[in-house]
Amino acid sequence: MPFPELTERERQVLDRLAAGRTNDVIAAELYVSNKTVRNAVSSVYAKLHASGRAEAIAKARDAGLGRAPG
């Protein structure tokens, strides 16, 4: 499993980020508040040493996240 340093929630958020979803869409899909998503995104950036969304998405995609199953 990629990124063992992430919590399950952070991994769910990162997977959706890598799939191109906005924070609002992620919040709706996970049945959490926008603030929860923002907090998870901030934690992901810190744990992956990513300077921002684009870098986190690139790292996630390189690890195979953000792709439709199948």
Side-chain angles (χ1 to χ4, degrees), residues 7-67:
T7 66
E8 183 61 29
R9 175 67 75 209
E10 290 165 348
R11 197 173 290 105
Q12 290 169 339
V13 168
L14 180 58
D15 186 46
R16 285 164 172 80
L17 280 179
R21 291 176 176 85
T22 65
N23 286 6
D24 289 340
V25 171
I26 295 168
E29 287 181 356
L30 297 179
Y31 303 101
V32 297
S33 72
N34 287 344
K35 177 136 179 63
T36 298
V37 173
R38 284 194 312 270
N39 288 341
V41 168
S42 293
S43 292
V44 166
Y45 293 170
K47 289 180 180 181
L48 298 187
H49 306 287
S51 60
R53 196 175 193 98
E55 187 177 353
I57 289 171
K59 288 181 180 204
R61 288 183 178 167
D62 285 348
L65 297 179
R67 299 189 179 115

